[in-house]
Amino acid sequence: MKNVALFGAGRIGRIHASNLAALPGVKLKYVSDPMAQYAGELAQKYGAEVTSIDAAFADKSIDAVAICSSTDTHSDLISRAAKAGKHIFCEKPVDLSVPRAIACGEAVKAAGVACMIGFQRRFDPTFNEAATRLAKGEIGNPEMLVVTSRDPGAPPAEYIKASGGIFRDMLIHDLDVVRWILCSDGDEAAWLSATGSVLTDPAIADLGDCDSTAVTIRTRKGRLCQINTSRRAAYGYDQRFEVLGSKGLLQCGNHTPSEVVQWDATGIRGDKPENFFLQRYAAAYKAEITHFFDCLQTGAAFRTTVADGVAAQKLADAATESAKSGQAITF
Amino acid sequence: MKNVALFGAGRIGRIHASNLAALPGVKLKYVSDPMAQYAGELAQKYGAEVTSIDAAFADKSIDAVAICSSTDTHSDLISRAAKAGKHIFCEKPVDLSVPRAIACGEAVKAAGVACMIGFQRRFDPTFNEAATRLAKGEIGNPEMLVVTSRDPGAPPAEYIKASGGIFRDMLIHDLDVVRWILCSDGDEAAWLSATGSVLTDPAIADLGDCDSTAVTIRTRKGRLCQINTSRRAAYGYDQRFEVLGSKGLLQCGNHTPSEVVQWDATGIRGDKPENFFLQRYAAAYKAEITHFFDCLQTGAAFRTTVADGVAAQKLADAATESAKSGQAITF
Amino acid sequence: MKNVALFGAGRIGRIHASNLAALPGVKLKYVSDPMAQYAGELAQKYGAEVTSIDAAFADKSIDAVAICSSTDTHSDLISRAAKAGKHIFCEKPVDLSVPRAIACGEAVKAAGVACMIGFQRRFDPTFNEAATRLAKGEIGNPEMLVVTSRDPGAPPAEYIKASGGIFRDMLIHDLDVVRWILCSDGDEAAWLSATGSVLTDPAIADLGDCDSTAVTIRTRKGRLCQINTSRRAAYGYDQRFEVLGSKGLLQCGNHTPSEVVQWDATGIRGDKPENFFLQRYAAAYKAEITHFFDCLQTGAAFRTTVADGVAAQKLADAATESAKSGQAITF
Amino acid sequence: MKNVALFGAGRIGRIHASNLAALPGVKLKYVSDPMAQYAGELAQKYGAEVTSIDAAFADKSIDAVAICSSTDTHSDLISRAAKAGKHIFCEKPVDLSVPRAIACGEAVKAAGVACMIGFQRRFDPTFNEAATRLAKGEIGNPEMLVVTSRDPGAPPAEYIKASGGIFRDMLIHDLDVVRWILCSDGDEAAWLSATGSVLTDPAIADLGDCDSTAVTIRTRKGRLCQINTSRRAAYGYDQRFEVLGSKGLLQCGNHTPSEVVQWDATGIRGDKPENFFLQRYAAAYKAEITHFFDCLQTGAAFRTTVADGVAAQKLADAATESAKSGQAITF
């Protein structure tokens, strides 16, 4: 039995709590959150106790921590968890600062604990199936990747202010997909060009951010990638990618709540995509946390590590800079 | 907290056990099965105890039983559970004999317990969405229903021998769909014609059964339904229906493991349907057992009762007779 | 150069005229129609002359006639064309009376002319591709066929009165599809059950006809077929079939005016099917008439002959009788 | 009756000849081609005469010329046709040199003749339907465009050598789509970044060209566009675009030879796209030439003019330059 402390009882903390609670061999022992009420409700629902982060670190029976607190707390909690000898599952990003993220990696290494970063898309049934077939060579050598990533609507200005900007906040996932799909053989980004616009809400421009972006990456091997994102899609959460290989194409479509198609005088109409990330990635979150404990059990390597977090962060920084300057970055 | 005893630790019993165990407010207390090993493994997995059926009935703390044992035990267990004052969830069918099924309904009524029959398709996200839209009038008045129902492969001869024949064993689900979709306003089957063939395995003919069937039903209101079934589809488990209404059509497609589409020199290829009923109806089984306990909690009526089981059974009997005689049955 | 006389300048005559005019090596010489204005307009458009049917038969330079006049004139015109030594393309049906249709076949044979019956679905790119793959064995041995055939709306009562009823008028095409797809190896219908309802317009009941039908056919080899039809589909002209074989399924979808899919707050919406038969079967009509002249040129056998017309007519008669009696017909 | 001279009897000339020949009110009078055999065969097929370009220009009965000869002859022929007072349909591009293309526009204007440039995608049923709905406001204001454009295989090195490079040869069509879809309200490209790789054939690198490209354009209004192209797709000719608007998305799929879907043990498989541009754009070529003569008849403005050819050429030049320098271009 692995005992776990969960830090953060917000939206994403609740998802992980629910999945942790259903895992055989895992016990959600503690929940911590600055909002006592949130922590209390979540703890009660799954038979856990509310405690402080310090107390959780001090409890020798705790094997692992799940860091689901706000982004600005991640690197501090990773370092402290490492020192306390706890294994770590941490939501993305490691840190908005690349040097601090690198330092986290070093702390983890020094302590000899295991640390996994939550890039849940790698566990999505559709995306993972595409990655698996690509690895099996079903479409030959990968050549081009087109990533479409759109939210149903922009988050509140408050959120955007602390987000690090759209490239670090939203595209970090897409940039991890690029590395996963195009660079699994050691290839790396060699050239990146990004641009952005404000098309949905002028308030976003006032914050110095943008809501619509286009990023292009060329790898050392000459593979090409285009990412297009928007903070708003009238039809909902749009999460797709297509990878062209020398022998074919793998196209990842959205998931839908049902497979009903309605035929009437207006056309032939299927469901909109699953509403947002909690729905679309429900299976991915479950598979991700299962993978974390499976690896702890077997000693296998995590699919996503601090190094992946750092690498995606570097690309996000480069995209931010390129969009600002209007010029490409070479690595 | 509701305490539950599960009878039957086979394929379907395990599904229900897993879903019961995850339900807040529900405790899987006992597991019974003639195969001690099966019962033991399942009980251990979910922290339950192995016990005899008699002991389960005798335990006053047991609120409900889930009957997942072989078909020939259903009616006896329903009657005994009713007498013991336990609420009942029973897998379809109630009984292969309509009179015995009717007697079950009477026993349940006399005892004042609640009894739900497991027609899980009514809880499938796709089928249920179609039924919901139909009820909302999105395609007007229903006129025609086409049900396609195919298994990936025929069961062993041993199974078929005890099954009551393809109409009672396999089409019982399709016939319940007909009643659900076409007869929800009190309409009823008025005319039925069935035919069948043996196309996949001559051994099925030797057993006096068939593996491919075509059933047509006309209701009192003149609505038409066609069901086509096969015990074997090379591409897997095919579970679809289409209902034509005065204002449009609702088409229910299969579910797939992923939304990957592969484009290559052979064509543009999507996934085969989910492998078989345990996969396709995973969400349905979960929703079904949740519904059972929700109704126990709130006192609401079950979506599927013994009366539904009896009605589907009567249609299955009529189809069996029609296929044998080659002539239509009128009700 | 083949000279052709066209009888009938209505909707279907105009289609054939347009396709005839575009065929290299074919000259549309005459147009005849009881409505002088129709004949005149069509003749002028394609540089033909208006003439009487008698004159066309008398003109030795005429190689072939295309009979697109009303159904009740078909058998008479076929017989006269045969006597005049003209090759014949005739729209379905040969005749509403099976004996008269058989007599046509004899007249044609006696005269040694070639006669093709216009079952245009056999030339539809989608249906024909399915038939070709089936013949190549791509899905193994055919076992079950489901035909869905729905018009966008019922024709006027006047039309229905003279139509011979829905089975002879509308299902004749579907019944030919059954023979084409399930019986190409010499198999034949052994058992047929049909039923029908009036669901769209009570005026149709007053005429003794129905607007919604369900037909089931079992062949000598035990293959099963279900046809469902309606005179009205709110979403337009629905022309599909699916054939299950021992190794897979071939599913023929509708054709659409464009491949645009619109994603918005209401869902993900593709085009409705092509509006009606003139649009859906535009390519089929063209391929059909090309086939006619290709066969005349090469001496190859037509894909559809008087015998096919007679066979479909017999099934339509049987369906009419079965729907009336409520009992199955065996052949 | 409009008399037309066709210059060029190659692949594209034959397409236009076939469509011209079928147009009522249009007479294909002359065919010219440096390859006498090609000219002769084509002229004979459609009842035209072989003649020299000079003679065609000199013939007063000629109303219009269709320029389908090699790219390096276009601007000269346009200028001469203008001087001869002939209306002009010219295949894209106007000229590989922007100044020469501009000069063509001036010559045309000075002569007062009409000149249409053949960007056939604007006449494709799917693309045109999307443009029409966009213009109607069905998805609100356009924000992002993703264009996927892939050939089934690279042309021979000889062709590539004279092509002006992939941006001028292949992407010219995609760049016209960008202007058509994103800039119809007078918006214009403000920023462009392009990159390319050689991934399919090293011989293409030897020619100083690339076979895979990624182009991004930001307009003055901040709209974003990404184009991805490849000279090779194992699954055939891939021609799609998606435009995101403030209220939805319009997605243009490929066209397929049939609507057959095959379900078998390998998956659920639809047709590959139409083989190449002659098949995919068959309807577009027909609509395009019809539009040309319709406009000549009615005096309406062409959908695509020399100015459109020049504008697309400028974008192609900018993309060529950007891909070479690795830096973005601002306009």
Side-chain angles (χ1 to χ4, degrees), chain B residues 143 195 197 218 222 232 327, chain C residues 143 195 197 218 222 232 327:
Chain B
E143 294 174 354
T195 188
S197 294
R218 197 179 67 236
R232 180 194 65 196
Q327 288 302 352
Chain C
E143 293 174 354
T195 188
S197 294
R218 199 181 66 236
R232 179 194 65 196
Q327 288 303 351

Side-chain angles (χ1 to χ4, degrees), chain A residues 22-307:
Chain A
L23 273 181
V26 174
K27 164 83 190 147
L28 176 61
K29 190 163 180 185
Y30 296 132
V31 176
S32 303
D33 195 286
M35 302 286 281
Q37 192 195 340
Y38 284 9
E41 284 169 6
L42 197 58
Q44 189 181 355
K45 185 161 182 189
Y46 296 105
E49 294 165 50
V50 174
T51 193
S52 70
I53 288 172
D54 285 339
F57 284 144
D59 184 339
K60 296 234 159 122
S61 78
I62 290 294
D63 300 281
V65 299
I67 304 175
C68 305
S69 46
S70 62
T71 293
D72 57 356
T73 67
H74 288 186
S75 60
D76 178 56
L77 290 174
I78 289 175
S79 302
R80 289 167 65 192
K83 270 184 214 144
K86 312 302 188 195
H87 299 303
I88 302 158
F89 172 86
C90 182
E91 267 301 310
K92 69 90 205 167
V94 182
D95 194 283
L96 291 179
S97 143
V98 167
R100 272 204 300 269
I102 291 172
C104 281
E106 286 159 2
V108 160
K109 200 178 168 188
V113 297
C115 180
M116 174 174 165
I117 303 301
F119 285 118
Q120 88 285 352
R121 290 195 202 170
R122 296 203 188 196
F123 298 90
D124 176 72
T126 291
F127 293 164
N128 189 41
E129 173 67 20
T132 303
R133 290 196 209 170
L134 185 63
K136 278 196 222 156
E138 293 198 16
I139 59 157
N141 193 23
E143 294 176 353
M144 304 188 76
L145 175 66
V146 176
V147 181
T148 296
S149 181
R150 295 170 187 151
D151 284 353
E158 273 315 295
Y159 177 92
I160 286 182
K161 228 181 274 183
S163 70
I166 190 169
F167 296 103
R168 292 189 187 94
D169 177 55
M170 186 174 164
L171 278 89
I172 187 92
H173 283 292
D174 305 301
L175 293 163
D176 181 61
V177 166
V178 176
R179 294 188 60 253
W180 179 38
I181 297 300
L182 285 193
C183 303
S184 66
D185 61 353
D187 196 7
E188 278 178 43
W191 179 96
L192 179 152
S193 169
T195 190
S197 295
V198 175
L199 295 168
T200 73
D201 183 358
I204 292 172
D206 296 344
L207 295 166
D209 201 0
C210 51
D211 55 22
S212 305
T213 78
V215 178
T216 305
I217 293 171
R218 198 180 66 238
T219 71
R220 293 189 183 171
K221 295 189 175 174
R223 290 164 184 159
L224 300 176
C225 170
Q226 288 187 314
I227 304 170
N228 71 81
T229 70
S230 174
R231 286 285 194 187
R232 180 195 62 196
Y235 53 86
Y237 192 49
D238 192 358
Q239 299 279 290
R240 293 175 284 154
F241 71 72
E242 295 188 11
V243 54
L244 176 72
S246 50
K247 294 180 184 163
L249 176 83
L250 291 164
Q251 182 182 46
C252 297
N254 285 305
H255 294 185
T256 51
S258 86
E259 299 298 327
V260 174
V261 179
Q262 184 165 335
W263 305 34
D264 59 29
T266 68
I268 312 292
R269 189 166 79 245
D271 279 7
K272 287 191 291 181
E274 288 282 8
N275 190 52
F276 205 6
F277 67 95
L278 296 180
Q279 291 80 33
R280 162 60 192 261
Y281 292 118
Y285 285 122
K286 203 168 174 173
E288 178 185 65
I289 209 75
T290 303
H291 172 78
F292 177 72
F293 286 102
D294 281 353
C295 291
L296 286 191
Q297 193 67 31
T298 63
F302 293 132
R303 201 179 287 183
T304 53
T305 63
V306 174

Side-chain angles (χ1 to χ4, degrees), chain B residues 143-144 146 191 193 195 197 212-213 215-216 218 222 226-228 232 234 240 242 246-247 251 326-328, chain C residues 143-144 146 191 193 195 197 213 215-216 218 222 226-229 232 234 240 242 246-247 251 326-328:
Chain B
E143 294 174 354
M144 302 187 77
V146 177
W191 179 95
S193 168
T195 188
S197 294
S212 306
T213 77
V215 177
T216 304
R218 197 179 67 236
Q226 289 188 313
I227 304 170
N228 71 81
R232 180 194 65 196
R240 293 176 283 154
E242 296 187 9
S246 50
K247 295 179 182 166
Q251 183 183 45
Q327 288 302 352
Chain C
E143 293 174 354
M144 302 187 78
V146 177
W191 179 95
S193 167
T195 188
S197 294
T213 77
V215 178
T216 304
R218 199 181 66 236
Q226 288 187 314
I227 305 170
N228 72 81
T229 70
R232 179 194 65 196
R240 293 176 284 154
E242 295 187 12
S246 50
K247 295 180 183 165
Q251 184 182 44
Q327 288 303 351

